[in-house]
Amino acid sequence: MSGANPERGEAALRVGGAVLVLRPSFSALVAAEAELGLLFALVERAAAGRLALGEMVALFWHCLTDLPEAMTREAFGERVTAGGLAQATPALRTLLQQILAGR
C-alpha cells in the first residue's frame, strides 16, 4: 500500500526504498510557485519536455507530507535522481494533473 490517497490528489513516490506521499495542497503549491514561478508555466514547460530536474524535485519537496527524519532536500534530490525519471514520472504526472484540474 502506498499510503497515497488518490481522492485527495496524492501521489506515491518511491525514493531510497521508502514510499513517500506527495499532496498538492494549497500551501504546498503556493510554496512551490513562490520558488518556481507560475504553476501554469511549469505545466507548460513539462508538456514541452523542458521541465528541469531541479524543478521537479522542488515541486516534489514542497508537496511531501511526511519527510523522513534527517532527510535534507539535497539528499531527497539525490534519491529521486538515483531512482530515475521513469520512476518519478507517474508522481509528476499526478501532481501536474492536480495543478490543472484542482480538487
Side-chain angles (χ1 to χ4, degrees):
M1 181 84 177
S2 72
N5 181 347
E7 294 299 316
R8 292 171 120 176
E10 295 175 345
L13 176 67
R14 181 174 294 280
V15 293
V19 177
L20 304 177
V21 175
L22 306 174
R23 182 181 306 135
S25 66
F26 175 75
S27 60
L29 295 178
V30 166
E33 189 171 56
E35 179 179 343
L36 300 169
L38 296 174
L39 293 178
F40 191 74
L42 180 91
V43 172
E44 286 181 328
R45 287 192 301 278
R50 296 185 332 238
L51 186 69
L53 177 61
E55 291 176 311
M56 180 181 70
V57 169
L59 178 62
F60 287 171
W61 180 258
H62 289 293
C63 291
L64 279 171
T65 59
D66 293 311
L67 184 64
E69 192 172 320
M71 183 181 288
T72 65
R73 184 167 172 172
E74 183 178 345
F76 174 71
E78 290 293 333
R79 291 179 183 175
V80 170
T81 302
L85 290 177
Q87 188 166 303
T89 298
L92 177 63
R93 183 179 312 119
T94 297
L95 293 180
L96 295 176
Q97 287 173 337
Q98 289 306 309
I99 289 168
L100 288 174
R103 281 265 167 164

